[in-house]
Each structure stands twice: as C-alpha cells, then as structure tokens.
Amino acid sequence: MIGSNISRWTMTYFAAALAWLFVALGLLVAGVGYPAGDIASPDTLVLVHVICVGWLSLAMCGALFQFVPVLVAKPLFSDKWALPALALLTVGLLSLLGGFLCLGGRLPPALWLLPLGAILLVAGFGLVVLDLGLTAWLRPTGPARFVLVGLASLCATMAFGAIFAFALAGWAGAAGGVVLSSGIPLHAIAGLGGWLTLTAMGVSYRLLAMFMLAPDVDDRQSGVTLAVGALAVAFAVAGGALAIGLAAGLQIVLSIAAVLGIASAALYGRDVAGIFSNRKRRHLELNMRMATLSFASLAGMALLGIALVTFDAFLANVGAFAFLAIFGWLSGLVLAKLYKIVAFLTWLETYGPVMGRAPTPRVQDLVAEDRATKWFVIYYAAVWTGTAALLGGEPAALRVAAAAMTVCVVGIVHEIVRIRRLADVARPLRLPVGAVAPHLLFARK
Amino acid sequence: MSIMTQYIDVDVRPILRAGGEPFSVIMSALENLAPGQGLRLYATFKPIPLFAVMQKKGFAHTEQALEGGEWEVLFTPAETQPDEPAAAASNFDNWPDPAVTLDNRDLDPPEPMVRILAEADKLGPGETLSALLRREPVFLFPQLEKRGFRWLGGFTSDGTAYELTVRAPS
C-alpha cells in the first residue's frame, strides 16, 4: 500500500492529551505548583510533567502517527504499536506523578514509583520512537528530518529524565546526584526545544502548505532552519553534559544555545511567512488565523528571552518564559491544528468510501468557525495575560487567567466533539448511503 | 485448474508493507517459471489490476481471502498458449490514452480528490484518466486502492504540478 490511511488511534491520543490538559489547567487554577509553589518543588514537577508528557507529548504522538506517513508518503512501520505505547505512557506518567507526590509528602513514601514511571515512559516513548523513526527513515527529506531530530531529542530528554528519576529514588549513586543537581535545564531544552518545538515546526511546514495550497518550502531552506535548531539542542545537551562532567558552569554553553535557538526561530518565521505569501488559497481558515497567534507567541518568547537576559532577569522569570512557550506557542498551535486535523480526518473517515458516488459535504461543512473563533481568541488573550501576571509576580491574576483558559478549552473541546459527531453537517448530507458515523474516540477500519 | 500444477510461491506482502511496487518482482518470478508451473501470490490486498495482465499472459486466477484483509491468489497456466506474451507485457506499460483529463490545480482541497474519484468511477474497464494536481495526493491513494484502481504519478520536471494517471480495473 502506498499513501496514507487513517491512523486508528490518533483520536484516542488526542482525547487522552486533552484530558491531561484539563488536569494541568485544574492544577494551575487550584494553585498547585509554580508560581504558587517553589519552581523546583515536587508540586511544580507534577504540573510540568502533566503538561509536557500528558498533554503536549501525547497530542504530538497522536498527530505524528497520522502525519509522518503523509510526510514520507509511506505507510507507518507498524500500526500495532500505537495503542500499547499509549497504555505504557499513561501508566508511566501516573507512576511518575505518584512518585513526585510521594516526594512532596502528599502520598506515603513509595519512591520506587519514580524509576518505575521512568521505565514505563521509556518503554512507551521507545515504541513511538522506533515506529515513527523507522517510518521517517524511509524518505528522510524536508519535514521528515525535523521529526527525526525531534525523536532524537526525545531520546535525550528520556535519558536525562530516567537518570533524574533514579537519582530522586536514591538509586543512582553520586554521579546521578551530580546530573540531577545541574542537568535540569538540559532535560527541559531537549524536551521543549528539541522534541516538541522542532517536531511541531516540521509537521507545520507540511500542514500549512497542504491546507493553504502553497508550494512546499525548499528542502535546502528548511534544512538550514533545522540545522541551526538542531545545533542549538545538540550544543545544549552535549555541551551541557560535558560541562557537568568537567564540573564547569553551564552559562557559556546555554548562552550559545540560546543564540542559536533564537536564530532558528527567526529562520522558521521566514519560512512560514514564505508559505503564507505563496499560498494559492487566499481565504485563511480558523486554524491558520489562530496559528498566527501561536507564531506571535513564539516571536514574543524570543523577544522576552532577549529582554530578560539583557536585564539579567532570566532566571528569576524563567517561569513566565516557559508559560508563554508551553501555552502560547506549543499548546496554542496544537489546539488550532487539532481543530483542523479532527475535522479533516473525520471527513475522510466518514465520506472517503462514498466520495464521488454520492453527494458529500466539504470539510468546512463539519465545522462552525464563527462559533469556535471566540474560544481561541480569548484563550490566547488569557495566555498573554497570564504571562504578564507571572512577570508582574501576581499569582492570583495567573489563577484567574488559567480559569479563563479552562473555560476556552472546554469550548474548543465541545466544538471538536461536535465535529466528531457530525453535528454541524446539514441533515440531507450527513450520512449518505454507505457512510458510517465515526466513533468519538477512534477511527473505524 | 489441474491438480498436477506445481506452484511457485511469491510473497509480495513485505514489499507492499514497505510501500514498494511489487510488479517487477512478480514479472521476474513469472519469467523463471518452467512450462506448466503456476504462481502462488500473497498480497496485502486483492491485486485486481494484475488479473488482467496475467490473463493476457495466459494464466487463470483463483483468489482466496486470508486473515487481516490479505489475499492468496493462484495463477494457473491456461490450456491454450497466449498469442503474444511480449505484446501482453508491454500492454501493461502502455496504458491507453486518458479518456478524461482533469486540471485540479486550482481547486481547494479536498475537491481534487473528490473529482478524481467521481470521474474514476465512471471509467470503463481498463480506461484511464489523467489529472494535474498541486500536491502529491497521499490521502487519495488508499481510496483508489480500495476501489481496485491502479495509478502512476509523479511531479512534472519543473516541479510545479503532480501528474496522476489512474486506470480502471479491466
């Protein structure tokens, strides 16, 4: 088989990811973890891992199981690994979170939960990395190379995370303690920068071009963007690990990585601007208009980072910087693209078999953009308000912003469920003879 | 089908799963058959387009569904010899001129795919259609395959358009 079928479990990944997003927003509203608590506290570790593993990584994996085959125009290496991987990741995350709660004294001490969680997460992500890596390797061009670098970064993130988990449980000896005491920035850079950001960039190149009818970005041009971004991550991880080994400070390494990171974001901005200006489709759909707010957040991050470093205030405000990265850039982009991806896959799954044989609705007939737009716009406004609240040292204001974000995500999820249920498709077109209504949580085969 | 027929096994499932094109492997296996030998083919889908080719080469077919949507097909040499094997082979390479040509370059997605499927369903046996697209239609291919069509496609030399030819089952 050539080409791409519908990935059976992508919707399941999305649903699990959204459930974790609600957990994260609930914690923020309740004031658990940073900024109400210390940035290095176990509560903050719970919050950060719920967001980065539960929400962002699961959503990214679900999207990749569908779109890596599209990037390379080859079927997935194995369809059978996605569901076991999801189970391992879910149980692993629960175990890790349990370990953090023990660490903070919220649960009776059972620190073995940390290494257990790490092992399960490594197993789950390992399946994902193997499956997607072996698929992308078949045709490692353009966007697929971003995914390969992203997967390599995920491996680095897991390696650090596993060492931390064993060290926190007291099973990693003195060396583990040294890595734990200074390696956290490297774990965060590899995860947020390498795995989530570079992968999101790679997938966005193809999705933006596909849905806007724009020519693909030239491989050499996107290759430069990737090379600079990969160098930033590699420099931070390898240089940082070397610095830790030599007991030297991380400052120089991280400064160089930051400059490379900003350069990569700027090059990505140039590439995306090129896709937008070369598009054949003039009308911008909701997911594109909202994605621009996500790109604005990425640009805002770069400016904020430069300003904070200039005024020597980066470490004091790293929480605000991370908040904008996680909720403005990554979560915003993922939510905007989910809206489109769910509509497109639902349309393909439902109407593909009868297409050309019976009148079918357009993808646009499955969505109600006017109704959905407000949730996205208020969401971004709340994220930017929350970033300002963090910069201003106003935890109470952040909780209000998080509550507004929660309401908006409820609104967006409601729209996505309506898409899945074909609720906005006009009756006569909804289910032509031969079409089967989709299941909410997985694709029928 | 004669019970005496001896079958050579050809399993193209790994090739198909890897996204490859098994046609040349099947044809070279065919060339190596001794007179009277047949071919037992394993594939991940019912290889409808191949039936016509094999028929022209003088083989009858019986197919059997296996588990997981896979197929086992027996190609048995017919009693009568094919009139001209070489010509039959080139028949497969030289598809007839397209009965329909579509320029879908300026349609909004997924309209190009809908139009191609609608026109493909109207083709007579063995007829072809050709379409110009802006992009490689990766989501169209599985739909074509499920309906038993064969296709050839690639970007034009200047890279501005994707040229797709679809052939209806004979």
Side-chain angles (χ1 to χ4, degrees):
Chain A
M1 189 212 55
I2 299 169
S4 309
N5 272 311
I6 295 169
S7 160
R8 186 157 166 76
W9 304 112
T10 287
M11 293 302 156
T12 323
Y13 271 79
F14 288 169
L18 287 166
W20 285 112
L21 175 58
F22 282 120
V23 173
L25 289 169
L27 292 173
L28 271 175
V29 173
V32 177
Y34 184 82
D38 187 62
I39 196 156
S41 69
D43 283 355
T44 303
L45 290 176
V46 169
L47 179 62
V48 166
H49 288 85
V50 165
I51 297 169
C52 293
V53 179
W55 156 233
L56 291 173
S57 291
L58 288 188
M60 186 64 81
C61 289
L64 290 178
F65 278 123
Q66 179 62 55
F67 284 103
V68 168
V70 176
L71 295 181
V72 301
K74 302 275 180 194
L76 204 57
F77 179 75
S78 169
D79 287 330
K80 298 198 172 76
W81 294 358
L83 196 60
L86 179 60
L88 286 167
L89 291 173
T90 304
V91 181
L93 179 57
L94 286 171
S95 175
L96 188 74
L97 297 177
F100 290 145
L101 292 173
C102 298
L103 216 52
R106 290 182 185 271
L107 283 182
L111 289 181
W112 51 267
L113 283 169
L114 290 167
L116 175 68
I119 290 168
L120 292 169
L121 286 172
V122 167
F125 279 128
L127 280 183
V128 173
V129 168
L130 271 180
D131 203 3
L132 297 173
L134 289 171
T135 310
W137 196 251
L138 290 172
R139 207 200 220 182
T141 55
R145 286 176 306 180
F146 279 79
V147 175
L148 287 170
V149 175
L151 293 175
S153 304
L154 175 59
C155 293
T157 315
M158 282 194 290
F160 277 107
I163 294 173
F164 298 163
F166 278 77
L168 284 170
W171 297 2
V178 172
V179 177
L180 177 62
S181 64
S182 43
I184 290 169
L186 312 184
H187 177 62
I189 291 169
L192 278 176
W195 157 232
L196 292 167
T197 291
L198 287 179
T199 309
M201 285 180 177
V203 175
S204 74
Y205 278 107
R206 187 56 60 88
L207 286 187
L208 294 179
M210 191 160 99
F211 289 129
M212 286 197 292
L213 280 184
D216 283 320
V217 174
D218 181 64
D219 265 11
R220 268 169 305 177
Q221 185 182 323
S222 64
V224 174
T225 309
L226 174 63
V228 176
L231 208 58
V233 176
F235 210 88
V237 172
L242 187 68
I244 292 172
L246 299 173
L250 284 175
Q251 219 157 16
I252 296 175
V253 168
L254 293 186
S255 309
I256 297 173
V259 170
L260 290 169
I262 288 170
S264 174
L267 289 169
Y268 175 65
R270 171 203 60 172
D271 298 344
V272 168
I275 297 175
F276 270 83
S277 64
N278 288 330
R279 70 182 196 272
K280 292 283 177 293
R281 194 179 210 185
R282 298 326 293 178
H283 171 74
L284 286 182
E285 290 176 14
L286 173 139
N287 74 92
M288 293 303 162
R289 283 182 277 127
M290 296 307 126
T292 57
L293 299 181
S294 173
F295 299 138
S297 302
L298 179 63
M301 255 174 75
L303 294 176
L304 180 63
I306 293 169
L308 289 175
V309 168
T310 308
F311 295 104
D312 202 17
F314 188 80
L315 280 183
N317 290 287
V318 69
F321 181 80
F323 184 85
L324 185 58
I326 285 172
F327 288 106
W329 154 237
L330 289 169
S331 300
L333 186 68
V334 170
L335 285 171
K337 290 299 150 196
L338 269 193
Y339 185 79
K340 177 69 188 189
I341 292 171
V342 171
F344 178 67
L345 294 180
T346 303
W347 175 84
L348 194 61
E349 182 190 342
T350 311
Y351 303 111
V354 295
M355 220 174 279
R357 294 172 176 170
T360 51
R362 301 167 306 143
V363 182
Q364 279 306 84
D365 298 329
L366 273 66
V367 299
E369 290 196 346
D370 290 342
R371 214 174 47 218
T373 303
K374 62 175 178 292
W375 299 125
F376 282 96
V377 172
I378 305 171
Y379 170 84
Y380 280 103
V383 169
W384 295 334
T385 310
T387 308
L390 285 169
L391 288 171
E394 300 281 350
L398 177 81
R399 290 169 68 173
V400 174
M405 286 159 64
T406 311
V407 171
C408 295
V409 175
V410 170
I412 293 168
V413 170
H414 180 237
E415 292 299 322
I416 289 176
V417 170
R418 285 184 64 85
I419 293 172
R420 230 22 224 157
R421 296 244 153 94
L422 309 171
D424 288 306
V425 184
R427 276 261 171 228
L429 284 179
R430 192 176 296 170
L431 278 180
V433 178
V436 181
H439 190 279
L440 185 60
L441 293 180
F442 56 85
R444 298 183 198 276
K445 279 282 171 186
Chain B
M1 175 190 342
S2 152
I3 306 169
M4 304 296 288
T5 309
Q6 185 198 353
Y7 292 95
I8 303 299
D9 287 353
V10 177
D11 187 350
V12 296
R13 288 173 299 184
I15 301 173
L16 291 166
R17 283 195 207 105
E21 173 51 71
F23 187 68
S24 59
V25 172
I26 299 169
M27 287 304 121
S28 71
L30 207 56
E31 278 164 24
N32 292 328
L33 290 183
Q37 276 184 335
L39 202 66
R40 180 184 285 113
L41 180 76
Y42 294 96
T44 54
F45 61 94
K46 191 170 167 181
I48 294 168
L50 193 61
F51 295 164
V53 181
M54 294 296 283
Q55 198 172 6
K56 287 191 180 122
K57 285 179 166 289
F59 288 85
H61 65 86
T62 52
E63 72 270 12
Q64 184 191 347
L66 305 175
E67 271 178 65
E70 300 185 335
W71 290 81
E72 176 189 324
V73 187
L74 286 180
F75 290 106
T76 312
E79 301 302 317
T80 51
Q81 285 301 305
D83 11 304
E84 185 54 80
S90 66
N91 258 349
F92 189 77
D93 300 327
N94 297 328
W95 286 4
D97 285 337
V100 185
T101 49
L102 300 169
D103 185 346
N104 289 353
R105 281 176 297 178
D106 290 325
L107 295 179
D108 277 356
E111 204 51 37
M113 168 174 175
V114 177
R115 268 186 70 185
I116 290 169
L117 286 171
E119 291 299 327
D121 271 346
K122 293 182 206 154
L123 291 177
E127 282 187 338
T128 67
L129 74 74
S130 109
L132 285 178
L133 298 124
R134 192 71 67 181
R135 312 189 52 84
E136 184 176 23
V138 283
F139 288 101
L140 173 64
F141 297 147
Q143 305 293 341
L144 288 173
E145 183 185 292
K146 279 179 197 152
R147 296 173 188 207
F149 292 97
R150 281 191 64 84
W151 70 90
L152 288 168
F155 278 97
T156 52
S157 52
D158 59 357
T160 56
Y162 188 93
E163 209 171 356
L164 177 75
T165 308
V166 176
R167 188 174 195 225
S170 304

